[in-house]
Amino acid sequence: PGLNSLVPVLTKDLEHHSSKTVIYRLRCLAGAVKSAGKSILKHKEAIKSAIKYALSAHNDKHVFKTGCKLLRHTISSQCGVYPVDSDASPRFRDPENADQYSLGRSAQLHKDSILWHIPSGEQIDFAVELIRIFTFEGLRKLGGISNDDFEEIGFDQAEGSIRDTAKANHSVDIPQWRRSLRVLRYSLRGCVGILLDAKDNNLARNHGPQTSEVDDSLSTSQEHLPFASSIFSEDDKDDWDPNERAVENLIRSASKETQNTLRSMRVKLCTVVASMMSLISSESDDNLLNADSELTDVELQQYSEEGKKTAEMKKKESLDRQTPTNSVSSDAKICKELTEISLILLTRRGVSFRCQDAKSIWSAQKQILTDYVLTAESGYLASALQRAGAYSDNDNAFYKDGENGGKTLPRRLLVARIDLFHQSLQRHASFEVPRMLRRRRGRAQQQCNRKKMFTMETSIHDFGTVLKNSFGVSLPMETMIDSSSLDAYEGMIDGLFSMSCHTNARVRSSALGVVDYALTRFGWVVRERVPRLLSAISLQDEDKKGDSGIPSCAQLSRQVDAQGKRKRFAEVLKGVCSILAIPRIIKELMSSERNRLSLTQSLCGTQVLISLLPDEDMQKMVHYFQGIFSQFRSKFYSLPRITTEEQRVHESCILFLLDKLLADDVEKKPGLLTNAQPITSLISTMDNNTEDVKAENAPGKKASSGNVDTSLLHWRNRLLTGWFLINSVDEHYLYHEDPKIASRVWTTCFHLIENETGQPLQRVALGLFGRLVVLSLAQEGSFYLSHGMRKYCGVDQRQNSSQKDQEVSDSALQMYGEKKADVSILREQLADASFCRSLVMALVFDHKEDSSIGGGHHPQWSAGIEEILRDATSNLAPRTLFPFQRISRSSNVFKVQHSQLVQAMLLIIGKESAQASITHLLDIAKELASSPPSEDQRNQQCTSAEIFGGVCRAILQYNSDFPELISAWNDILLPFLDDVIPKIPISLTGAFFDAFRYGIHHFPPSTFHSLTNWLIEKIEKTLWQHEGQKQGADNMVTEKSSPEPSESIKKGETSLSSASGSNDGFATQSKWLLIASAILIELDAEADLGAAVQFPWYTHALHPMEAKQKKNEENQVLFPVEELNQSWNIINNRLLPCLLKALGHPYEKCREHIAGCLFRICYCHRKCVNTSKALLKSQINGSLSSKEDRRSTNQDPGSIIIDKLCSIGSAREYSFEEQHHALITARKFIVYCIHLGDSKHEYSEFVIPLLPISFESVNVTMGDSSEGEVSAANRVLEAEVVKGFRYSLADVSSSCVITYGLDNDMTKVLKVVDKMSSNTSWQVRQAATHFLRCFQGGHKFLFSPEQTEIVTTTVAKLLSDERREVSSAAMAALTGILAATPPYSVNELVKTYVTIANKSKIKRKKKKDPTKVAKSPPAGNIISQKERERARQQQTSVFFLCAAILANPYDTPSYVPEALAAISKHSFEKSAPLAVRETVKMCCGEFKRTHMSDNWEVHRKQFSQEQLEALEDVVSTPHYYA
């Protein structure tokens, strides 16, 4: 009824109203007809007239657009399936019982069907009529002849008229094209859901007879029509899509003419759109040739004769064609309309789209509209019924069961969800229908001739012919389009490819988006078009113009515009590169070796393409090519080569890359490629019957090896070439019977490392070098076989080294195979000192950001270069789990991969050859360590540490026997360290820390026993000592005469005041101490149970080598234990006393390292003892001899260290500075125990014994009233100690939780705190109070009743402290304790303290009678003692009651009013001292802030009138009349 009233009003006299009024009326009409359904048929004439008026308003684009929207909504309302709005609204009455209201009742489908709008035949006829009138008529005008002309003058005359019109006008009506295409797009958006794919006539004729399902009563004149029958047949019933079948059944109710139109419209429109795109592409090419027609003879001389003939021929054809002056291709709006129309035809099978987004919105709406209260109630009722046993009765199961349950889902939301499911079916059809068409084509592939729908030779006359054949009404049957839907779709995709190469950037962007989305439905077309795309960017498409919609780049590269630039060539390249960067294209590129070879050749030869481009487009094209490479890199994977053909193609790729890398040096060093196998000869051995191989041997293709292009490659192309080479080389070439390719790869790698010093290409070559080394060494099997692993493999220790290496190699070869890599080339190069220097310098230049100097700077690389360098670095060595401990690496500049590379290349060349290389490398490392200041100094010195780490580990793996190890340390490694360590700055000590750890990681202690001795001797000679300062000074003076400049220490170092003269010596001491901590950490690694006798657990998965039969199993277990004990005897007897005498070291870094070493000694020794006991017990049937027991427990360094640290505060031998420095060392030791130790051991054994000295160190001995003069330095030093221990105590109280089952430790801590609470220093008492507050908060649920009582008693005792700071902290601690105490316990305590508070007020003094004379003097001492007791009880009771009040900030227990009334009496001056009064006022004010607000009426009920008045006396503001 509403539509009947609106349509006459809204459509009446539109021509007599203004544009704004017309737009408003048409919009209202569009909204009214949107879901009107069949009621529109009553007003179809009025609606048609309104649409016709709006579409004829050519001068007003807003009216025209509104008319397009009205047309779309009208068509979609007539041919769409949607729920009726009236039925989707909420129901107010039960449909079965009209008297019963159903407000709030949930939606249901049972007995309450949803009314859907299903189009009738008349509605579909009306929708098709609108399309014929407004859409087809506009398309016919594009060819120059209307429908009336076709009907009046006939077919032959109309065809001649089209040709004459095109020749006479030489122009097109651009506005008419825009309007027609916009009307087409809006019409498609309304009717695309009922457009079916036509049955392929070629397939029908060749694949067998087709049976129609439409109607047996079809007339004979219509049965032979191409689109008269149904699209479905019995032969293809398995391919039917549910949505397509539903649409087919839907249009059967329409007239025969309408059915034919709907079955043929999609393929006709696809054909017309493809023809339009062909016309645009042809015009773009013709416009370039017209602009290019004025080329001079001088410019033409640069082209070949064949190129000149081709260009002249194209110009002549273009002039004969007479391209219209108003080119369609130059209008961006027309092109964008075509791309959007293509998107609809290719990817949509319904009016609605983006159903996935609509589902997310629907889920959010459901969550918002859900009645959680009702849902919760229904859940409660359901659980109650289930417990009562009434849930099994079907008649009573109304809750959470079926549609009658308590699910509160609105009906409108339920209907929307069903509509979304229908839309999802339409979306599914957009995927399945193209697949179905492809399957049909596949079944008749041999009989079917595919028709090419896109061509770049299309004129305006050809386009008019296509329009005539598509939308002619009275045309003969033989002129109708005879092509399949799939051919039309592929033609549109080719057209989109051509639009991606358009001259307008916006058109290219729009077309690329459509291509990317269309390939989700037509993904198989990629395989046929990838070779064409690759040939375009390699300029090998001379005769492929228009194939797959891509112009010939080879032809365009020879054509320039009027300005002498190749702008069109640049635009096409941008489009081709953008298409190649689409993920689906990249996926296809990586699927075969042939495609990878073509892409590699193209990307590595982009320099030629970029050089042909205009200057303003060169940098842009770099980014376009980088887009392809970044997508390829992100999806790269190793492709297995199964066939011989694939292997040959891969080898040709390797040779091509090698030739490219050495192309620049062919003229300088002709011998580089003397022994190389030409690629042309290799390719000639392939199967020349294939088209791909013919393309490789084409005359226009450049030679690869024998005729190398000697033009210099751009550095970017060389980096890309190196990246491809790194990722292409694998173990096949290293273990192949023909070593030619492997030798060329090694030679190329060496050449680049030596000649590209400091360049990014050198880093890429270093990555290639690392990959070759790792691949070669992986088969050798010795890279991961350390000393302990050799014993695990069963190699006898008494064998000589050569025999042992051979046995290990043989055992490894059983796992990896019998082939070995030829490393003779590498062995020769590493024997050369110059190559070793080049290799080391390549390790120095890492090309990374330096953020340590000058505020840091970012590397200004070109796009993609940083990723190439990162990938090259990742190939230096395999990933490792080092250090695989809680102590991570100390330096962020030390690169483990460099050390791994040095180790691997030394292991691969053999022990004898490695000796010379080790000498060269260590000599170069010494030079790097003493490098002068420069921007690369840090990297050079860090590289020195990396070389040492790799060399050290390689030497330890080569030399297994004890004499060899001692010789290697004394002759090679230790002299190097003597020379290098003093030279490196203190900031890079962490690099050598990591290098030491890597060198001895997971080796038995005996392998680095010499290092341990040497290091302890260094510490003994140089470390500052408390005792014998004169002797220490003499030692340092002796060192001064040595040639090591950084170890020269002045005599003034013995004096603490001469700090400037001792900086260098202290820095050297810090280095030795840090290295000592590295050795202690690795001893800890060997102390793990079983780590010294077998592989680490994580290496079993990497190297599943079967363990050999173990001989002398007892010796294999006892030997590591003896090694550990031997090392720890040296540490305990020599290193530990030296460290304990240096606790008061004046240098902060040294104190930190001393504390770290002490912690490591305690931590590692405990694990060592436990490991030794476990191993011995497991070996001797669980019994440990008393001798071994005494040996492992006698010398406990932990107890020695703790005793020494605890005696610092009472020691008299320390001066003030030394004592406080020693206290700082003790504090750092506590910090290490907290953050690096285990709670079960370190907290119990080390932290708790050090708590007393921690509390005592908080005391400030130098106050303002200190007698005598105190230096400012001493004050600062003491303040630093006090501040540090406060932080440490806070860390212990909050971070350390005793959850390991030893309740006795909690008692120990509480006793210490209780003792400290009675200390004479108020700072100590305050620290104890704060400690107890945090400690109680972390352990309140772990305390026993006795421990809780200890805490409460200690805090209550501190409430009456004389210092305000201590009593306030105690009250805060008590507040937290009472908050976790049960209310009944607090209530009893409050009553007790209320009584005490009432009795402890200050009593008013009685007036004495002056007439009475005292017979005896008053007992002053007794009165003073009673007064002090009263004051103590008053402060304790009031503070306790305040804590009880503050412990309840959100509620009011029954004892709170009593406490408030009691403390209010102590708020007056006459009844309490100042401290008590202020605390009472603060407590009452806090209570007012938290309670007397919004919920005060609830809290007020707990108070009596007297209690309220007492509270008001404190919290009320005093005034004049009070």
Side-chain angles (χ1 to χ4, degrees), residues 376-391 399-400:
E377 292 295 333
S378 64
Y380 176 76
L381 292 175
S383 61
L385 291 173
Q386 188 175 11
R387 289 193 301 269
Y391 201 74
Y399 301 98
K400 294 293 182 69

Side-chain angles (χ1 to χ4, degrees), residues 1170-1210:
N1170 295 337
T1171 303
S1172 301
K1173 290 181 180 180
L1175 291 175
L1176 291 172
K1177 286 181 180 180
S1178 63
Q1179 200 63 27
I1180 314 175
N1181 298 325
S1183 63
L1184 184 65
S1185 63
S1186 59
K1187 182 178 178 180
E1188 289 292 335
D1189 194 5
R1190 287 194 302 269
R1191 185 179 64 178
S1192 61
T1193 57
N1194 256 341
Q1195 300 176 350
D1196 184 9
S1199 60
I1200 300 174
I1201 293 172
I1202 295 302
D1203 293 341
K1204 184 64 176 179
L1205 295 179
C1206 291
S1207 64
I1208 293 175
S1210 59

Side-chain angles (χ1 to χ4, degrees), residues 801-832:
S801 60
S802 59
Q803 183 179 357
K804 189 184 304 181
D805 292 338
Q806 182 64 33
E807 185 169 351
V808 173
S809 180
D810 293 341
S811 64
L813 290 177
Q814 293 178 4
M815 176 173 59
Y816 290 108
E818 298 181 355
K819 294 182 180 180
K820 289 186 179 182
D822 184 10
V823 293
S824 57
I825 303 177
L826 176 62
R827 188 177 293 109
E828 295 174 0
Q829 290 292 328
L830 291 180
D832 185 7

Side-chain angles (χ1 to χ4, degrees), residues 27-83:
R27 285 181 177 177
C28 294
L29 183 59
V33 304
K34 192 172 183 180
S35 299
K38 298 179 181 179
S39 57
I40 295 180
L41 297 176
K42 301 178 183 179
H43 311 281
K44 59 181 182 179
E45 296 298 332
I47 294 175
K48 281 196 297 184
S49 62
I51 296 174
K52 184 177 182 180
Y53 171 77
L55 297 182
S56 62
H58 299 166
N59 297 329
D60 195 332
K61 62 180 181 180
H62 300 290
V63 175
F64 181 81
K65 184 176 180 179
T66 308
C68 292
K69 290 184 178 181
L70 176 59
L71 175 63
R72 174 171 69 90
H73 289 307
T74 304
I75 294 175
S76 63
S77 66
Q78 297 304 294
C79 59
V81 179
Y82 48 87

Side-chain angles (χ1 to χ4, degrees), residues 312-332:
E312 293 175 357
M313 186 182 303
K314 296 298 181 182
K315 294 177 200 173
K316 184 177 180 180
E317 293 177 359
S318 176
L319 292 175
D320 295 340
R321 192 178 300 159
Q322 295 184 355
T323 304
T325 56
N326 297 334
S327 175
V328 178
S329 62
S330 61
D331 191 82

Side-chain angles (χ1 to χ4, degrees), residues 836-851:
C836 291
R837 184 174 298 276
S838 301
L839 180 62
V840 171
M841 296 309 298
L843 295 175
V844 172
F845 300 111
D846 59 349
H847 302 285
K848 285 191 175 181
E849 174 186 358
D850 183 9
S851 58

Side-chain angles (χ1 to χ4, degrees), residues 794-972:
V795 180
D796 191 0
Q797 295 290 330
R798 292 171 293 182
Q799 295 175 350
N800 55 47
S801 60
S802 59
Q803 183 179 357
K804 189 184 304 181
D805 292 338
Q806 182 64 33
E807 185 169 351
V808 173
S809 180
D810 293 341
S811 64
L813 290 177
Q814 293 178 4
M815 176 173 59
Y816 290 108
E818 298 181 355
K819 294 182 180 180
K820 289 186 179 182
D822 184 10
V823 293
S824 57
I825 303 177
L826 176 62
R827 188 177 293 109
E828 295 174 0
Q829 290 292 328
L830 291 180
D832 185 7
S834 61
F835 175 76
C836 291
R837 184 174 298 276
S838 301
L839 180 62
V840 171
M841 296 309 298
L843 295 175
V844 172
F845 300 111
D846 59 349
H847 302 285
K848 285 191 175 181
E849 174 186 358
D850 183 9
S851 58
S852 61
I853 301 175
H857 63 273
H858 295 283
Q860 299 179 355
W861 292 115
S862 178
I865 303 303
E866 189 173 359
E867 288 78 8
I868 295 176
L869 296 178
R870 187 185 302 118
D871 293 345
T873 303
S874 64
N875 280 278
L876 289 177
R879 294 184 178 181
T880 179
L881 297 175
F882 174 81
F884 201 75
Q885 284 182 330
R886 293 176 62 182
I887 306 300
S888 61
R889 280 177 273 179
S890 177
S891 174
N892 58 352
V893 296
F894 179 82
K895 302 173 185 63
V896 182
Q897 290 177 319
H898 289 180
S899 295
Q900 288 180 275
L901 177 61
V902 173
Q903 173 198 359
M905 69 184 188
L906 292 177
L907 292 177
I908 197 176
I909 62 177
K911 182 177 180 179
E912 295 181 358
S913 301
Q915 293 178 356
S917 302
I918 289 173
T919 303
H920 298 324
L921 293 174
L922 292 181
D923 291 341
I924 299 170
K926 291 179 183 180
E927 298 177 9
L928 295 179
S930 58
S931 59
S934 65
E935 61 180 355
D936 298 319
Q937 183 188 30
R938 188 192 68 168
N939 286 345
Q940 290 171 350
Q941 293 172 340
C942 184
T943 304
S944 176
E946 295 162 358
I947 293 173
F948 169 76
V951 169
C952 177
R953 193 164 184 83
I955 289 177
L956 295 184
Q957 288 188 243
Y958 272 131
N959 302 283
S960 318
D961 295 335
F962 191 70
E964 294 179 353
L965 286 172
I966 295 177
S967 176
W969 280 110
N970 295 333
D971 299 339
I972 300 175

